[in-house]
Amino acid sequence: MAKLKGTGISSVNYPTGMNLGGDPTQALIHMTTTGTFVISLASCDLGQGLKTVLAQIGAETLGVPFENVLIDTGDTDTGPHCMGTFASRTTHRAGNAIIMAAQEARKTMLEIAADELEARPEDMETDGQGFVRVKGSPDRKIHLVNLALAGHFKYGKTVAGRGIFFKPNLGIDPETGKMDPDSTEAHACVMAEVEVDTETGEVKVLKLQSVYEIGRQVNPKLVEGQIKGGSVMGLGHALYESTEPYYPSPEHRPGGFFEYILPLAPDVPEMEIRVLEYPSADGPYGVKGFGEMTANAPIPAIVNAINNALGTEISTHPVTPEIVLQALDAKQSKS
Amino acid sequence: MSDQALNTVGKSELRRDGLSHVTGKTQYVDDIQFPDMLYLKMVRSPLHHARILGIDFSEAEKVPGFVRAFTYKDVPKNLYTILCLIGVGPDEEPVLAEKEVLYKGEQIAAVVAQSEEAAIEAAARVKVDLEELPAVFDVEEALKPGAPILKPWGTNYFVYEGHHCRRVRYGNIEQGFAQADYIVEGCYEPKPIEHAPLETTGCIAKPEANGRITVYTNTQALYFSMDNTALILNVPFNKLHFVGGTVGGGFGGKVDVIVEPIAALAAMHTGHPVKYLYTREEEFHVSSTRVAYRIYFKDGVSKDGHIVARQVTSYADSGAYNRHTPYAVTKHAANISGPYDIPNVHIDAHCVYTNRVPTSAMRGFGVTSASFATELQIDKIARKLGMDPFEIRLINAYRNGDMRPYQKVVGDATLVEVIQAAAGMAHHPLSERFQAMNSWDRANSPARPEPVSAEKRS
Amino acid sequence: MASKIVTFTLNGRETEVMVKPLTTLAKALREKLGFTATKCGCYEGNCGSCTVIVNGEPVLSCILPVEEVEGQNVLTLEGITPAEGLHPLQQAFHENFAIQCGFCSPGMLMVSKALLDKNPHPTQAEVAEAISGNLCRCTGYDPIIAAVLQVAAGSNGNQGGSHE
């Protein structure tokens, strides 16, 4: 009996969004007289940080500081329709809607600035620091608060914009499966290194090395958070987790965390991450959706590493100690 | 646009909700209290498949604090299917079971009481008279003649526009196999998985003075949940007001619409706020899981490692009802060829009903199973041919300009680049031929773009 | 069964709560006293989200009858949050993105504080072990461990806290 090491890889794609009735999401933006832009949505933040990245996308297009953009979401009385947070779609869909809305609001913002600065709208630019100024004359500038007050009290103009993402639903050909079910594709290659105890059947994941290509990172720390969190969730799927351990028998369902094993802090392997960025033509600033796939890629990489360590043909997950020992027995009886 | 021109995109701005999270001030559904709130607990089927002969609430009604019970007769449009909003049908899942239960844990009756303890006690005292029926748990057994039929349309599979499965047909599968030097077969079986967010699924429905119902919910999709709830309750959409957007973990587990319709119904009938929050045990025993699959592969492979034909027959276990699984199977069928260029493809992906807890959406929806199977299969092929696992993937990797089996041109391929970068990270040597590959190296590929350099930014 | 009054020190303040027998500390804090920073992910002592500190020890408040803390010193996340700014652990969790959905964060912060109060300079393995009773489904734990180690590296042994 021994502890055997193995390595395995997986290379995967993940499609952004779905073909759900146009997969629409709207965004509305308006500027209040405080100089703040409010982005109204009905999208849900599940923890991935969409309130943060959508404020970044809005601020970028408007040309104003991140701090001058509020995300107002989670209320169907005030937020326009969003299909929902799933299918790695929300940064892509809501992001595109926000860019569209922000471009409209920005146009009016620059017109008001031009009137105040006695210049032409096409000569206006934002400095990203809270001012609109005349190109080439950095001293001729107006602060967002003064601009907002002038727009409202002097010119009677709303600084606002409307945006929607919509992808026409072309249906599916029932004979051939011809369809257009997604927008863009993110990619990953994950390598796992494992150690398997052939006496107990226990597997320890020693290392996960991940390369992701996700179009563009809006917020690199949030990207890293998805990759690390997904890696550990994938580790749990690969080794521990099932609601029906003796599937297809429906018995022995776990009823709580005392029976359903999740990865714990001491199970976390060494993780190395690299992110490549080839901006997608249809994503906001080139974004591709990737939140879900971070839990997909580690599973086959880990199971391939186990098969590499043992010379087995395990083809299910989770790879529990019982599965490992059965596979070793099968291998022995074959040889 | 150049990177230098970007102001905030690309910067690791701190989380907008970070301060409220670290101080515990973020409000989740379970943190909301109303002084006159009632608690809803569910009477559930103890059997996998049974006929309902009768329900007796007389003992439950004697529990101090009992307010009222609800059965299917109280639900205006009791039969629904979540994806009806995008034209998927027919309606096939009851909000509360009518004459039959199809899975262990299925909702039969709701009990509402003045305290959580009273609701638990009253629900436990409801007597349900059941006649057990034969059940089926295996996806292939469910499709055999003689299996108990679970659906009124007479089969145990979802019907895709007249077909018993989602089909993908590309190239000529027989010619592909004829060209192959090897046939490599495999069977892959990912098991069902629980989402296990730290916050369980739940909502509070509160009647307002103006006759509307406010629903505080941790759904992942506010309008989706609201619209389904309005259809089930047969009320105008604008009678409902859904509030949420802050979710204590979702992973696809909070896109079914289970708690909101019955809580809103109870709120309308009692005039009180009603809370329906899954216990952890309910989250494990009756909330949807990730779909379990059985996936059969038959690949034709040439001596140089190209996969020239792929035939897949896949069985997804939808459990007793649709939820989101019919669409997951479509996504699965589209992606079961993996990120590889395979000229001849024949996919039959079945969405099968069994007497199991319904399965539904989970992180990776339809693709997790596809990635698992394709990546184990390609390693199996590499072992058979004695090839390097990096190299066989690079040989087969799709490129920009290629056609996917579902007849969409590949436009954003970067698989070659992530494999090459991974080989570099692992210090795995690649010969010059493999280093020279790129995702734009086909005759019909578009021009190769410049990547953004994340390293350049702060 | 008759309700009774339990008296204890909560975040440095004498506190009375009237409860039915066997009411848990978590329910008393959240539902009777309105201290909802303490979260409950399972109500059965298996996820760690409800961790509070009683007399310096991390305890699972969702399975502890509140009678057990009669006369004791109870510290919740509300109690370590200063009037201005953040506790060093809160700051480090925020800056290290050691939070995603936020639901496990209160328990993670309290168990980490209990660790650093006893062992101001833990190893990575000691941090992982200390938080191994607390589940997080989002972050993969790695950023949480990094945040705790960052505080330990910058600490002189005194973790502060406004109501010790």
Side-chain angles (χ1 to χ4, degrees):
Chain A
M1 296 296 169
K3 287 191 174 180
L4 300 179
K5 283 190 181 177
T7 57
I9 71 167
S10 69
S11 63
V12 306
N13 65 302
Y14 199 80
T16 299
M18 318 176 55
N19 202 13
L20 287 175
D23 206 6
T25 284
Q26 290 186 31
L28 298 174
I29 296 184
H30 78 279
M31 189 193 207
T32 73
T33 52
T34 67
T36 304
F37 286 89
V38 181
I39 301 181
S40 299
L41 304 163
S43 306
C44 299
D45 197 325
L46 314 182
Q48 79 283 50
L50 82 83
K51 288 171 186 168
T52 310
V53 298
L54 295 182
Q56 288 180 259
I57 289 170
E60 192 66 58
T61 307
L62 289 162
V64 305
F66 176 65
E67 294 72 22
N68 279 57
V69 174
L70 293 179
I71 297 291
D72 176 25
T73 192
D75 188 321
T76 57
D77 273 6
T78 55
H81 187 279
C82 172
M83 206 70 194
T85 301
F86 47 73
S88 297
R89 67 182 292 286
T90 309
T91 304
H92 187 280
R93 271 53 171 147
N96 272 321
I98 287 169
I99 288 175
M100 186 176 168
Q103 285 168 341
E104 187 184 346
R106 178 182 163 91
K107 184 168 176 289
T108 315
M109 176 174 76
L110 298 188
E111 285 167 6
I112 294 167
D115 282 347
E116 283 293 279
L117 298 172
E118 297 177 338
R120 294 182 310 171
E122 54 269 35
D123 291 334
M124 296 291 107
E125 67 179 10
T126 46
D127 70 352
Q129 309 296 315
F131 289 91
V132 182
R133 65 189 180 193
V134 180
K135 284 178 197 164
S137 308
D139 293 340
R140 287 175 68 196
K141 62 182 183 181
I142 180 169
H143 191 261
L144 287 177
V145 173
N146 294 328
L147 188 154
L149 290 169
H152 184 66
F153 288 104
K154 192 166 160 188
Y155 302 105
K157 281 189 174 179
T158 56
V159 181
R162 302 161 297 167
I164 184 166
F165 176 88
F166 184 80
K167 178 181 160 64
N169 184 353
L170 304 175
I172 304 174
D173 180 64
E175 305 307 321
T176 64
K178 181 176 196 266
M179 58 180 139
D180 181 7
D182 42 53
S183 292
T184 176
E185 300 268 352
H187 299 90
C189 185
V190 170
M191 298 165 288
E193 189 181 326
V194 302
E195 183 181 77
V196 189
D197 186 323
T198 59
E199 187 167 349
T200 64
E202 281 176 291
V203 179
K204 177 134 184 86
V205 178
L206 304 174
K207 196 195 275 186
L208 286 174
Q209 292 172 296
S210 307
V211 178
Y212 281 80
E213 192 288 303
I214 62 165
R216 185 188 292 275
Q217 304 185 77
V218 177
N219 184 314
K221 288 296 281 184
L222 287 174
V223 168
E224 183 186 298
Q226 285 301 300
I227 295 173
K228 285 183 172 173
S231 295
V232 174
M233 182 184 266
L235 185 157
H237 289 6
L239 298 184
Y240 310 133
E241 298 180 41
S242 175
T243 53
E244 278 158 317
Y246 300 103
Y247 186 90
S249 163
E251 311 306 327
H252 309 284
R253 284 182 78 88
F257 290 125
F258 56 98
E259 291 171 323
Y260 186 95
I261 304 170
L262 290 185
L264 303 175
D267 301 319
V268 175
E270 182 188 340
M271 290 189 271
E272 190 179 352
I273 294 165
R274 185 166 173 215
V275 179
L276 307 179
E277 296 171 281
Y278 287 88
S280 162
D282 67 25
Y285 296 98
V287 163
K288 300 176 173 182
F290 83 105
E292 293 171 278
M293 71 186 298
T294 58
N296 287 359
I299 307 171
I302 290 168
V303 179
N304 281 337
I306 296 168
N307 282 331
N308 175 254
L310 303 177
T312 50
E313 295 276 350
I314 293 167
S315 59
T316 185
H317 69 79
V319 184
T320 58
E322 194 174 352
I323 298 278
V324 168
L325 296 177
Q326 282 170 354
L328 285 170
D329 283 350
K331 185 187 161 199
Q332 203 163 30
S333 63
K334 236 188 195 175
S335 58
Chain B
M1 81 235 27
S2 75
D3 275 20
Q4 286 70 23
L6 292 176
N7 189 39
T8 172
V9 164
K11 274 171 69 179
S12 291
E13 306 280 7
L14 291 178
R15 291 185 68 98
R16 271 295 164 85
D17 49 11
L19 295 176
S20 66
H21 280 356
V22 297
T23 54
K25 287 178 179 161
T26 302
Q27 191 178 58
Y28 302 89
V29 168
D30 196 28
D31 298 329
I32 300 168
Q33 270 197 90
F34 298 104
D36 57 342
M37 190 158 76
L38 304 178
Y39 298 81
L40 187 151
K41 291 288 170 184
M42 201 52 74
V43 178
R44 299 182 179 282
S45 171
L47 300 174
H48 297 294
H49 190 194
R51 190 169 292 127
I52 300 172
L53 302 177
I55 309 177
D56 178 1
F57 294 100
S58 58
E59 290 301 311
E61 287 163 2
K62 293 177 191 164
V63 173
F66 171 90
V67 174
R68 85 162 268 189
F70 297 86
T71 68
Y72 74 91
K73 292 174 188 162
D74 300 300
V75 185
K77 181 180 175 292
N78 193 48
L79 274 189
Y80 76 108
T81 195
I82 295 172
L83 290 172
C84 71
L85 295 174
I86 56 156
V88 173
D91 291 333
E92 45 81 73
E93 179 166 5
V95 175
L96 296 172
E98 298 184 5
K99 296 184 172 60
E100 207 175 321
V101 282
L102 295 186
Y103 69 94
K104 187 174 175 176
E106 182 163 356
Q107 301 192 143
I108 295 175
V111 172
V112 172
Q114 288 169 346
S115 70
E116 193 176 1
E117 293 75 10
I120 293 169
E121 177 70 22
R125 290 196 194 187
V126 174
K127 287 187 197 128
V128 185
D129 189 10
L130 296 173
E131 177 194 344
E132 188 160 10
L133 297 170
V136 63
F137 302 110
D138 183 88
V139 281
E140 288 180 272
E141 294 297 321
L143 297 179
K144 285 182 183 163
I149 295 299
L150 307 179
K151 294 293 158 178
W153 55 86
T155 67
N156 287 337
Y157 54 81
F158 180 82
V159 179
Y160 290 95
E161 297 96 24
H163 290 296
H164 63 282
C165 60
R166 172 58 73 205
R167 295 153 58 109
V168 176
R169 301 286 186 269
Y170 183 65
N172 184 320
I173 192 70
E174 293 310 325
Q175 275 180 22
F177 284 134
Q179 288 164 10
D181 298 306
Y182 303 99
I183 299 293
V184 181
E185 295 184 278
C187 175
Y188 303 98
E189 296 187 86
K191 286 178 184 164
I193 286 172
E194 164 56 29
H195 312 79
L198 263 291
E199 178 204 32
T200 60
T201 306
C203 73
I204 298 169
K206 178 173 177 279
E208 303 293 352
N210 60 11
R212 298 177 76 202
I213 305 283
T214 305
V215 180
Y216 300 90
T217 167
N218 55 28
T219 177
Q220 292 176 227
L222 284 164
Y223 275 93
F224 212 82
S225 296
M226 184 171 80
D227 294 349
N228 266 302
T229 301
L231 293 174
I232 287 166
L233 300 180
N234 194 24
V235 297
F237 294 116
N238 68 3
K239 189 181 170 77
L240 301 178
H241 173 203
F242 271 47
V243 179
T246 298
V247 183
F251 314 111
K254 290 169 178 163
V255 290
D256 293 345
V257 187
I258 308 298
V259 292
E260 294 92 346
I262 191 70
L265 179 79
M268 283 165 63
H269 280 277
T270 62
H272 288 272
V274 174
K275 179 177 183 176
Y276 181 11
L277 181 78
Y278 277 177
T279 63
R280 184 52 65 182
E281 189 181 52
E282 284 177 307
E283 199 71 54
F284 276 110
H285 279 172
V286 303
S287 81
S288 299
T289 65
R290 188 191 279 291
V291 182
Y293 283 85
R294 186 172 302 144
I295 310 163
Y296 293 98
F297 270 67
K298 181 183 174 188
D299 283 353
V301 186
S302 66
K303 268 185 282 194
D304 61 0
H306 279 99
I307 305 171
V308 294
R310 169 163 290 178
Q311 182 166 16
V312 174
T313 307
S314 197
Y315 301 94
D317 187 344
S318 188
Y321 298 105
N322 280 344
R323 304 275 169 96
H324 290 280
T325 299
Y327 194 82
V329 170
T330 293
K331 212 169 168 182
H332 172 86
N335 286 282
I336 194 71
S337 299
Y340 303 114
D341 182 44
I342 306 177
N344 303 292
V345 174
H346 181 287
I347 311 292
D348 279 352
H350 304 76
C351 174
V352 185
Y353 304 106
T354 62
N355 291 108
R356 195 184 297 283
V357 171
T359 62
S360 193
M362 186 172 178
R363 188 179 200 168
F365 195 51
V367 186
T368 310
S369 52
S371 294
F372 177 70
T374 56
E375 291 309 293
L376 265 61
Q377 173 76 3
I378 201 165
D379 259 34
K380 193 172 190 176
I381 296 169
R383 283 196 291 274
K384 173 135 184 141
L385 273 59
M387 290 185 71
D388 176 87
F390 287 86
E391 292 178 0
I392 194 167
R393 285 172 170 83
L394 286 167
I395 287 170
N396 287 287
Y398 64 15
R399 311 291 213 271
N400 290 295
D402 286 352
M403 187 67 89
R404 303 296 305 272
Y406 54 93
Q407 299 179 55
K408 180 177 177 177
V409 176
V410 177
D412 276 327
T414 53
L415 193 74
V416 171
E417 286 67 28
V418 295
I419 296 171
Q420 288 166 333
M425 187 185 264
H427 306 293
H428 183 92
L430 289 179
S431 71
E432 204 163 314
R433 174 191 165 207
F434 294 103
Q435 287 180 30
M437 287 177 170
N438 71 75
S439 292
W440 295 267
D441 62 7
R442 298 274 202 254
N444 63 339
S445 287
R448 184 181 185 176
E450 275 302 303
V452 173
S453 173
E455 287 81 4
K456 272 193 266 172
R457 296 195 304 261
S458 55
Chain C
M1 285 185 284
S3 294
K4 62 181 281 194
I5 291 173
V6 179
T7 307
F8 58 103
T9 306
L10 175 59
N11 301 332
R13 194 161 163 167
E14 283 306 303
T15 302
E16 285 186 349
V17 61
M18 171 99 82
V19 292
K20 287 182 186 160
L22 296 179
T23 298
T24 63
L25 176 58
K27 287 261 184 189
L29 288 169
R30 289 172 48 78
E31 294 176 12
K32 298 282 180 184
L33 297 165
F35 284 71
T36 56
T38 302
K39 305 299 177 197
C40 292
C42 68
Y43 287 102
E44 54 191 10
N46 288 306
C47 76
S49 300
C50 68
T51 305
V52 300
I53 295 176
V54 178
N55 299 337
E57 296 290 335
V59 302
L60 297 168
S61 65
C62 80
I63 49 169
L64 184 73
V66 66
E67 294 100 307
E68 299 280 318
V69 301
E70 175 74 46
Q72 312 292 306
N73 200 348
V74 177
L75 188 63
T76 69
L77 183 59
E78 287 95 341
I80 73 165
T81 307
E84 281 182 43
L86 296 171
H87 184 278
L89 276 166
Q90 292 173 315
Q91 189 71 36
F93 271 54
H94 186 35
E95 288 172 1
N96 286 277
F97 293 73
I99 38 175
Q100 282 189 28
C101 84
F103 202 86
C104 77
S105 309
M108 285 289 183
L109 284 159
M110 296 311 285
V111 79
S112 302
K113 175 172 165 47
L115 168 70
L116 294 186
D117 285 348
K118 285 191 175 164
N119 178 4
H121 299 288
T123 63
Q124 180 163 339
E126 285 171 336
V127 176
E129 184 57 34
I131 66 168
S132 66
N134 289 58
L135 299 176
C136 172
R137 191 56 154 167
C138 301
T139 66
Y141 303 103
D142 187 79
I144 296 173
I145 295 168
V148 177
L149 289 172
Q150 180 185 305
V151 174
S155 90
N156 54 12
N158 174 15
Q159 287 313 308
S162 47
H163 300 293
E164 311 269 342

